[in-house]
Amino acid sequence: MYKLEDLAKLVGGEVIGDKEVVITGIGGIEDVRPGGITMVATAKVAAAAAAGPAAAVIVPPGLPSRRTPMLRVTNPRLAFARLLELFNPPQRFTPGIHPTAGLGEGVTLGPDVHIGPLAVIGDRSKIGARVVIYPGVVIAEDVEIGDDSIIYANVVIREKTVIGRRVIIHGGAVLGSDGFGFVPVDGKYVKVPQVGRVVIEDDVELGANVTIDRATTGVTLIKRGTKMDNLIQIGHNVVVGEDCAIVAMSGIAGSTRLGDRVSVAGQAGLVGHITIGHDSVIAARSLVINNLPPHSYVSGTPARPHAEDMRVAAAIGKVPELLKTVRELQKRVAELEGKVLS
Amino acid sequence: MYKLEDLAKLVGGEVIGDKEVVITGIGGIEDVRPGGITMVATAKVAAAAAAGPAAAVIVPPGLPSRRTPMLRVTNPRLAFARLLELFNPPQRFTPGIHPTAGLGEGVTLGPDVHIGPLAVIGDRSKIGARVVIYPGVVIAEDVEIGDDSIIYANVVIREKTVIGRRVIIHGGAVLGSDGFGFVPVDGKYVKVPQVGRVVIEDDVELGANVTIDRATTGVTLIKRGTKMDNLIQIGHNVVVGEDCAIVAMSGIAGSTRLGDRVSVAGQAGLVGHITIGHDSVIAARSLVINNLPPHSYVSGTPARPHAEDMRVAAAIGKVPELLKTVRELQKRVAELEGKVLS
Amino acid sequence: MYKLEDLAKLVGGEVIGDKEVVITGIGGIEDVRPGGITMVATAKVAAAAAAGPAAAVIVPPGLPSRRTPMLRVTNPRLAFARLLELFNPPQRFTPGIHPTAGLGEGVTLGPDVHIGPLAVIGDRSKIGARVVIYPGVVIAEDVEIGDDSIIYANVVIREKTVIGRRVIIHGGAVLGSDGFGFVPVDGKYVKVPQVGRVVIEDDVELGANVTIDRATTGVTLIKRGTKMDNLIQIGHNVVVGEDCAIVAMSGIAGSTRLGDRVSVAGQAGLVGHITIGHDSVIAARSLVINNLPPHSYVSGTPARPHAEDMRVAAAIGKVPELLKTVRELQKRVAELEGKVLS
């Protein structure tokens, strides 16, 4: 329980109305309970928030006052994120290795590591300080995991994978599986050994059941700060830049390279061996088949500049009507020809 | 082994032909063995069934007799399902907890629970009567699972998830992973703590490697009787209504709400923050980007009413021809203009 | 370390330049280190290879010499695959069963099997010679796995599944989960018991987090030599022919049959109950809704013959312009009509 003015100090905001009101929890507009604080990011939902049971509302600058008390901040979503953490402190894990966990030979463990039941760590792997490894995780040989990373249950990490600091990997993700590489010989496929590895830099988050293949040779690389949603496929030798966001069910085929701060919306596909420039945005379900310059914004199948794709999509809806119009024109022209050319 | 008349009694049908024939098994038209019973739901496959080795065929009313004996029933698929179960009784699990399973503190177990080897159940979780938990399942803290549910191998269930009765969750599914929520701040992403939970109501079935994210705050909710195929993504704060069917590889983005009895075919995508009315049908690979009223039937990218989408799709195939026609018209009009306007 | 002439003998090639040069490793053009050998399959990347630090380059016949020594071979990709294996010999597994692995009653093990920690094998399952089972794998009852197969961590294999020889299954894959079969009765779904099984023939490779459902009755069958990438869905009663290649995130719905040597590119979808002829190619993101004859090459949604789809796709981009042209034509025709018909 906090006074609203304490929360304002914490997130750097200004109270409008009663500073002394006691805040007992936090929630979204639809689930906040009486006594809690909620958040309004846009005017669209302000009425719903005002009508709800919240004791206070976080609002952005310029939003007209609907109901006090309010906590006005520059970035309501950020303030909300911080207060969510305040009211829901992250789980503390008792340092230690569960007796049913299996550690290989030469495993190195940093201080205050937590390794849950039935996790397996292969020979010579190095686990950084305060790393949390949930039950059922299988880490192979020669893996490195940086400080403060969290590996959720039943994740699979194959040999030689390198994972940075503060990385979060959600349940069921598979890192370092063989890339999809075969040589066709006389109508059959001969496997190309996949002897490269996967490197995940600091502050990356990977969703549940994501798959990231090891490189054929060299490295499949996910750079610092990139966030991936669930059920994403990253092919061998892909490089994803820093601070990218990739939404669920997208796939990036082998050897493609994303610059920094690229956004890929859900169910998008990127073919192999292309390069996506920094700060590009790829809309949901796009199929990108060519290189994109920096600051591109594309959509569609195949992906086009978004404005053009919108024009094309709108035009497509008019084609049934257009067919009629043209048939009619043909008749009118034929009639004219009958009169004029005879 | 049953006499055909016994089976008829069981499923409420009528035998045409020899009631005494002994049925020794059951199978589809392509795999039924001599002595077995098979099923014909539509006239299309009746000849194949008649030509096969089955000792009897389940048929719907009105199908002309091709070969006796037949078992005529109102709903052949339902009768087939019931006889499949009769000839293949579900596996019985010896109640008990395998000595290698790991139970946390304060775990509550209902009567006749079966917990397989190497499963993990977190502190304070409550497991209902006759629940079956396969090997390698990882259940976190404060989870509830209702009576008669089945959790297949290597499923991950995160903290505070609530699962109803008679729920079936197939292998590798991940429930309660963090929703994909980040605030962009100065070109980097700050994580929004995902402190809500997942609630799965009674009689839901979830396919293999499905991912269902926990809510940011509040709940991600799958209502009673809904069935999901494999590799489906459900974003945070999604609500799926009762008795929906969602086919493989579909994705529903955050905060979207489906009414009851909605059908979503394979590889469909629904963007976030939309509402789909009761009894709607979303065709395969549709991308739904707007609210849909009840009883909608949509297809395409973006999804349109199905009849319109069919018209547009047919028209699109004619565009290459249309381009030629219009070029020709232009010439003819120019020629006319030459004659008339000169 | 090998002399280049030794490598030439091994892969059946011809050295151009210094035969005695010592090769200390192998890598792709972008990651090969000094002293290593790399490979050029097409002229496009020859310059990059020549400019790099490699001690020798594998080249195809007819590529003009850029820098010696070169190792000229008929199939550079195949030679590269073989040398990758030479320089990176596959991991050897000590035969034996880890004490924390759990074996059911009546399990049969071939010679030199390796079973990792915390793997589970159900009653009566038969594991062939030299099979490697990684940690966390859960194999149910009555499963058969042929000689020399490799099952990576946390794979789930349900009861009665049959797996051939030299099969590779990557982490998190689920084989034999229930097919998606329900009968709608009064607005609710009644489950159809899925009592068939999955059969995987010799030399198949299955990617990470792939899901392959068991048949309703009969068999879901993946034939010899077929390779699947990650996150692929195979529905119940599907038959995939020999030597097919299916790229990541594709889905094949129930009862569909693929011939031999079919290629399915990424994110494709095939509806149920269709037949794809031998040697067909299905382009990325295609949605196949009809039978295809042998040697088809299709793309698009819905999938059309590729040449036609390309024509349609190109034409679609011209529709916005076409709308303008037709509007203009309408004006011109109206003007002509004013002159001629008045």
Side-chain angles (χ1 to χ4, degrees):
Chain A
M1 299 212 316
Y2 301 84
K3 287 187 189 169
L4 187 54
E5 63 182 348
D6 300 333
L7 301 183
K9 266 178 216 158
L10 208 92
V11 299
E14 173 201 3
V15 174
I16 295 154
D18 179 7
K19 295 179 182 188
E20 303 277 317
V21 62
V22 170
I23 305 298
T24 58
I26 185 167
I29 290 171
E30 300 194 350
D31 54 65
V32 65
R33 296 186 189 164
I37 191 167
T38 190
M39 184 265 296
V40 162
T42 62
K44 214 171 75 178
V45 292
V57 183
I58 305 170
V59 298
L63 198 80
S65 169
R66 285 196 168 252
R67 200 192 71 187
T68 58
M70 304 196 304
L71 171 50
R72 181 167 289 160
V73 296
T74 314
N75 187 337
R77 292 186 206 278
L78 181 59
F80 189 66
R82 291 199 171 138
L83 297 186
L84 274 175
E85 187 156 359
L86 179 74
F87 283 99
N88 301 274
Q91 197 178 349
R92 289 290 190 86
F93 292 88
T94 323
I97 301 160
H98 196 275
T100 61
L103 271 60
E105 292 176 16
V107 168
T108 311
L109 301 178
D112 297 332
V113 160
H114 171 94
I115 301 179
L118 306 169
V120 176
I121 303 181
D123 299 345
R124 298 172 304 278
S125 286
K126 296 178 183 172
I127 311 298
R130 296 168 301 281
V131 166
V132 174
I133 296 177
Y134 275 80
V137 169
V138 178
I139 297 172
E141 301 78 29
D142 303 299
V143 170
E144 294 179 30
I145 302 183
D147 298 347
D148 300 296
S149 288
I150 300 173
I151 316 295
Y152 280 100
N154 286 353
V155 165
V156 174
I157 302 177
R158 288 267 306 271
E159 64 276 13
K160 298 182 189 165
T161 299
V162 176
I163 294 171
R165 291 168 294 171
R166 297 172 302 278
V167 168
I168 299 171
I169 304 181
H170 289 285
V174 179
L175 277 68
S177 40
D178 288 357
F180 194 64
F182 301 90
V183 188
V185 178
D186 299 334
K188 292 186 169 42
Y189 290 104
V190 174
K191 182 174 175 70
V192 179
Q194 304 289 306
V195 306
R197 57 190 180 140
V198 169
V199 173
I200 309 291
E201 293 188 350
D202 296 346
D203 299 304
V204 166
E205 183 161 343
L206 303 177
N209 283 342
V210 158
T211 58
I212 303 187
D213 279 350
R214 65 194 313 108
T216 307
T217 64
V219 65
T220 303
L221 175 61
I222 313 297
K223 292 190 184 169
R224 188 200 52 69
T226 281
K227 314 297 185 188
M228 290 192 204
D229 203 345
N230 300 339
L231 289 171
I232 285 168
Q233 151 71 358
I234 304 293
H236 47 182
N237 292 84
V238 164
V239 176
V240 177
E242 299 189 353
D243 299 309
C244 292
I246 305 182
V247 180
M249 306 187 116
S250 289
I252 304 181
S255 299
T256 281
R257 285 162 175 270
L258 271 64
D260 300 336
R261 296 169 306 282
V262 171
S263 291
V264 180
Q267 294 185 334
L270 285 73
V271 303
H273 298 276
I274 59 173
T275 299
I276 309 302
H278 294 316
D279 301 291
S280 290
V281 175
I282 295 171
R285 188 68 71 75
S286 304
L287 180 62
V288 185
I289 61 173
N290 288 114
N291 295 336
L292 295 180
H295 295 278
S296 295
Y297 176 18
V298 299
S299 59
T301 301
R304 297 180 169 90
H306 183 61
E308 188 188 331
D309 184 54
M310 287 292 93
R311 263 201 311 276
V312 169
I316 281 172
K318 295 174 185 163
V319 170
E321 187 58 33
L322 183 65
L323 285 166
K324 277 190 215 165
T325 305
V326 169
R327 270 196 298 273
E328 205 186 273
L329 265 178
Q330 284 181 297
K331 273 190 213 162
R332 286 162 65 186
V333 167
E335 200 181 334
L336 281 166
E337 286 169 340
K339 304 250 177 196
V340 171
L341 306 179
S342 62
Chain B
M1 300 214 311
Y2 301 84
K3 287 187 189 167
L4 187 53
E5 64 181 348
D6 300 334
L7 301 184
K9 268 178 214 158
L10 209 92
V11 300
E14 173 201 3
V15 174
I16 295 154
D18 180 7
K19 297 180 181 188
E20 302 277 318
V21 64
V22 171
I23 304 297
T24 57
I26 186 168
I29 291 170
E30 300 194 351
D31 54 66
V32 66
R33 296 186 190 164
I37 191 167
T38 190
M39 183 265 294
V40 162
T42 62
K44 213 171 73 178
V45 292
V57 183
I58 304 170
V59 298
L63 197 78
S65 169
R66 285 198 169 249
R67 203 190 69 185
T68 58
M70 305 196 304
L71 171 49
R72 182 167 288 160
V73 297
T74 314
N75 187 338
R77 293 184 204 278
L78 181 60
F80 189 66
R82 291 200 170 137
L83 297 185
L84 275 174
E85 186 155 359
L86 179 74
F87 283 98
N88 301 274
Q91 199 179 347
R92 289 288 192 90
F93 292 88
T94 324
I97 301 161
H98 195 276
T100 61
L103 271 60
E105 291 175 17
V107 168
T108 311
L109 300 178
D112 297 331
V113 160
H114 171 94
I115 301 179
L118 307 168
V120 176
I121 303 181
D123 298 347
R124 298 171 303 280
S125 286
K126 296 178 183 172
I127 311 298
R130 297 169 301 281
V131 166
V132 174
I133 297 178
Y134 274 79
V137 169
V138 178
I139 297 172
E141 300 77 31
D142 302 299
V143 169
E144 294 179 28
I145 301 182
D147 299 346
D148 301 294
S149 289
I150 300 174
I151 316 294
Y152 281 100
N154 286 352
V155 164
V156 173
I157 302 177
R158 289 266 308 270
E159 65 275 13
K160 297 181 189 165
T161 298
V162 176
I163 293 172
R165 291 168 294 172
R166 299 173 301 279
V167 169
I168 299 173
I169 305 181
H170 289 284
V174 178
L175 277 68
S177 41
D178 288 356
F180 195 65
F182 300 91
V183 188
V185 178
D186 300 333
K188 293 184 169 41
Y189 290 104
V190 174
K191 184 174 174 69
V192 179
Q194 303 289 306
V195 306
R197 58 189 180 142
V198 169
V199 173
I200 309 290
E201 293 187 351
D202 295 347
D203 299 302
V204 166
E205 181 162 344
L206 304 176
N209 283 342
V210 159
T211 58
I212 303 186
D213 279 350
R214 65 195 311 110
T216 307
T217 63
V219 66
T220 302
L221 175 61
I222 313 297
K223 292 191 184 169
R224 189 200 49 71
T226 282
K227 314 296 183 185
M228 290 193 204
D229 203 345
N230 301 338
L231 289 171
I232 285 167
Q233 152 71 0
I234 303 293
H236 48 184
N237 293 85
V238 164
V239 176
V240 177
E242 297 189 354
D243 299 309
C244 292
I246 305 183
V247 180
M249 307 187 114
S250 289
I252 304 181
S255 300
T256 280
R257 284 163 175 270
L258 271 64
D260 299 336
R261 296 170 306 281
V262 171
S263 292
V264 180
Q267 294 186 334
L270 285 73
V271 303
H273 298 276
I274 60 173
T275 299
I276 309 300
H278 294 317
D279 301 290
S280 290
V281 175
I282 297 172
R285 187 70 72 72
S286 303
L287 180 62
V288 185
I289 62 174
N290 289 115
N291 295 338
L292 295 181
H295 295 279
S296 295
Y297 177 16
V298 300
S299 59
T301 302
R304 298 180 169 89
H306 183 62
E308 186 188 333
D309 185 54
M310 287 292 93
R311 264 200 311 276
V312 169
I316 281 173
K318 295 175 184 162
V319 171
E321 187 59 32
L322 184 65
L323 285 166
K324 277 190 214 165
T325 305
V326 169
R327 270 196 299 272
E328 203 185 275
L329 266 178
Q330 284 182 297
K331 274 189 212 163
R332 287 161 66 186
V333 167
E335 199 180 334
L336 282 166
E337 287 170 340
K339 303 252 179 196
V340 171
L341 307 178
S342 62
Chain C
M1 299 210 316
Y2 301 85
K3 287 188 191 167
L4 186 54
E5 61 183 351
D6 299 334
L7 300 184
K9 266 176 218 160
L10 210 92
V11 300
E14 174 201 1
V15 174
I16 295 154
D18 180 7
K19 295 180 178 187
E20 302 276 317
V21 62
V22 170
I23 304 297
T24 58
I26 186 167
I29 291 170
E30 299 194 351
D31 55 66
V32 66
R33 296 187 189 163
I37 191 167
T38 190
M39 183 266 294
V40 162
T42 61
K44 213 171 75 179
V45 292
V57 182
I58 304 169
V59 298
L63 197 79
S65 168
R66 287 196 168 252
R67 202 191 70 184
T68 57
M70 304 195 304
L71 171 49
R72 181 168 288 161
V73 297
T74 314
N75 187 337
R77 292 185 206 277
L78 181 59
F80 189 66
R82 292 199 172 139
L83 297 186
L84 275 174
E85 186 155 359
L86 180 74
F87 283 98
N88 300 275
Q91 198 178 347
R92 289 290 190 86
F93 292 87
T94 323
I97 301 161
H98 196 275
T100 61
L103 271 60
E105 290 175 17
V107 169
T108 312
L109 300 178
D112 297 331
V113 159
H114 171 95
I115 302 179
L118 306 168
V120 176
I121 303 181
D123 298 347
R124 299 172 302 279
S125 287
K126 297 177 183 173
I127 311 296
R130 297 168 301 280
V131 167
V132 174
I133 296 177
Y134 275 80
V137 169
V138 178
I139 296 172
E141 301 76 30
D142 303 298
V143 170
E144 295 178 28
I145 302 184
D147 299 345
D148 301 295
S149 288
I150 301 174
I151 316 295
Y152 280 100
N154 286 354
V155 164
V156 174
I157 302 177
R158 288 265 307 270
E159 65 276 13
K160 297 183 189 165
T161 299
V162 176
I163 294 173
R165 291 167 295 170
R166 298 173 302 277
V167 169
I168 299 172
I169 305 181
H170 288 284
V174 178
L175 277 69
S177 40
D178 288 357
F180 194 65
F182 301 91
V183 187
V185 178
D186 301 333
K188 291 185 170 40
Y189 290 105
V190 174
K191 183 173 175 69
V192 179
Q194 304 289 306
V195 306
R197 56 189 180 141
V198 169
V199 174
I200 309 289
E201 293 187 351
D202 297 345
D203 300 303
V204 166
E205 181 162 344
L206 304 176
N209 282 342
V210 158
T211 57
I212 302 187
D213 279 350
R214 67 192 314 108
T216 307
T217 64
V219 65
T220 304
L221 175 61
I222 313 297
K223 291 190 185 170
R224 188 200 51 71
T226 282
K227 315 296 183 185
M228 291 193 202
D229 203 346
N230 300 338
L231 289 170
I232 284 168
Q233 151 72 358
I234 304 294
H236 48 183
N237 293 83
V238 164
V239 176
V240 178
E242 298 189 354
D243 299 309
C244 292
I246 306 183
V247 180
M249 308 187 114
S250 288
I252 303 181
S255 298
T256 280
R257 286 162 174 270
L258 271 63
D260 299 335
R261 296 170 306 281
V262 172
S263 291
V264 180
Q267 294 185 334
L270 285 74
V271 303
H273 298 275
I274 60 173
T275 299
I276 308 300
H278 294 315
D279 301 291
S280 290
V281 175
I282 296 172
R285 187 68 73 73
S286 303
L287 181 62
V288 186
I289 62 173
N290 290 113
N291 296 337
L292 295 180
H295 295 279
S296 295
Y297 176 17
V298 300
S299 59
T301 301
R304 298 181 169 89
H306 184 62
E308 187 188 331
D309 185 54
M310 288 291 94
R311 264 200 310 277
V312 169
I316 281 172
K318 294 175 185 161
V319 170
E321 186 60 32
L322 183 66
L323 286 165
K324 276 189 214 164
T325 305
V326 169
R327 271 196 300 271
E328 205 185 89
L329 265 177
Q330 285 181 295
K331 273 189 211 162
R332 287 162 65 188
V333 168
E335 201 181 333
L336 281 166
E337 288 170 339
K339 303 251 178 197
V340 171
L341 306 178
S342 64

